[in-house]
Amino acid sequence: QVQLQESGPGLVKPSETLSLTCGVSGYSISSGYYWGWIRQPPGKGLEWIGSIYHGETTYYNPSLKSRVTISVDTSKNQFSLKLTSVTAADTAVYFCARHSITSAVTYWGQGTLVTVSS
Amino acid sequence: QSALTQPPSASGSPGQSVTISCTGTSSDVGGYNYVSWYQQHPGKAPKLMIYEVNKRPSGVPDRFSGSKSGNTASLTVSGLQAEDEADYYCSSYAGGNNLNVFGTGTKVTVL
């Protein structure tokens, strides 16, 4: 059974960098599929942030592309998100996920709330 | 990229059917048969209910069905049950490096 688990700080100061990691069990991330990040501001809808394929090819939401970096650590079977220059608008529950090229997300992490505040 | 458009709310009595629309453009919904639908209960991660317009993952009841016409996709929930009360989101592949665009979300209420 594939399982994903987000980890990282729950509070980030404005203008700083948000960093999250997603640990994967039950499947080797180097074996295929897309591994990505999706966020949901409190009381609002879902927004795709970006994804990585085969540990090297990255795809980013055009509206966030200048601030986002997604990377993989195959030795630890995990992937990470960095979002720079955060503001209050980046406060959200961040989900890590596995999806296919057809965009269907079959596995989700439980989500982690990140609040941007001084 | 703009979010796909969904009605904010929909409702029906137990046993009835409800249909949710998801309108995009020829660059996303209309351009590919890669529309997915998710169910999200409060405080939970979304759950995939439909993929590739009308395919159901294993374990999803056949009360859930999907379709598409032009730039608009639809999710129909037949035989509404109390546990179907949730938020529903559509998503679509949007081509090139734009892997995923989500809809604005629809809250389904079972009366």
Side-chain angles (χ1 to χ4, degrees):
Chain A
Q1 174 74 349
V2 180
Q3 293 185 317
L4 294 85
Q5 178 68 57
E6 305 89 352
S7 60
L11 181 64
V12 181
K13 289 182 169 54
S15 81
E16 295 190 344
T17 296
L18 179 159
S19 296
L20 294 174
T21 297
C22 181
V24 179
S25 61
Y27 190 87
S28 172
I29 60 175
S30 59
S31 295
Y33 286 100
Y34 294 75
W35 304 89
W37 292 92
I38 295 161
R39 69 181 182 179
Q40 184 172 36
K44 297 186 178 181
L46 300 165
E47 179 181 38
W48 173 69
I49 300 170
S51 302
I52 190 164
Y53 180 68
H54 269 188
E56 56 184 30
T57 306
T58 51
Y59 306 82
Y60 299 131
N61 184 323
S63 66
L64 297 169
K65 184 176 181 178
S66 64
R67 299 194 292 132
V68 174
T69 302
I70 295 176
S71 60
V72 161
D73 185 338
T74 54
S75 67
K76 295 181 179 179
N77 211 40
Q78 64 185 34
F79 60 105
S80 299
L81 168 71
K82 289 189 186 301
L83 181 65
T84 62
S85 304
V86 297
T87 69
D90 295 310
T91 293
V93 174
Y94 286 75
F95 295 99
C96 59
R98 188 185 94 169
H99 67 91
S100 66
I101 183 59
T102 67
S103 87
V105 178
T106 47
Y107 293 98
W108 297 75
Q110 64 182 27
T112 186
L113 174 63
V114 179
T115 301
V116 178
S117 176
S118 55
Chain B
Q1 63 177 14
S2 297
L4 308 177
T5 301
Q6 297 179 232
S9 63
S11 62
S13 299
Q16 290 186 333
S17 295
V18 65
T19 297
I20 305 166
S21 62
C22 169
T23 301
T25 69
S26 58
S27 296
D28 38 62
V29 174
Y32 310 91
N33 287 324
Y34 292 158
V35 176
S36 304
W37 289 91
Y38 302 89
Q39 176 191 68
Q40 187 180 34
H41 287 110
K44 300 293 186 182
K47 175 187 176 183
L48 180 67
M49 305 302 283
I50 295 288
Y51 67 101
E52 293 177 26
V53 177
N54 56 14
K55 298 177 181 178
R56 278 187 311 277
S58 174
V60 173
D62 59 7
R63 302 186 294 103
F64 291 85
S65 61
S67 63
K68 191 186 87 166
S69 178
N71 296 336
T72 298
S74 298
L75 173 72
T76 298
V77 185
S78 305
L80 270 174
Q81 299 182 4
E83 60 262 36
D84 299 333
E85 185 162 295
D87 293 326
Y88 290 82
Y89 292 92
C90 62
S91 78
S92 174
Y93 175 71
N97 291 334
N98 208 353
L99 296 188
N100 212 335
V101 58
F102 283 97
T104 50
T106 299
K107 182 175 181 59
V108 169
T109 300
V110 180
L111 301 171

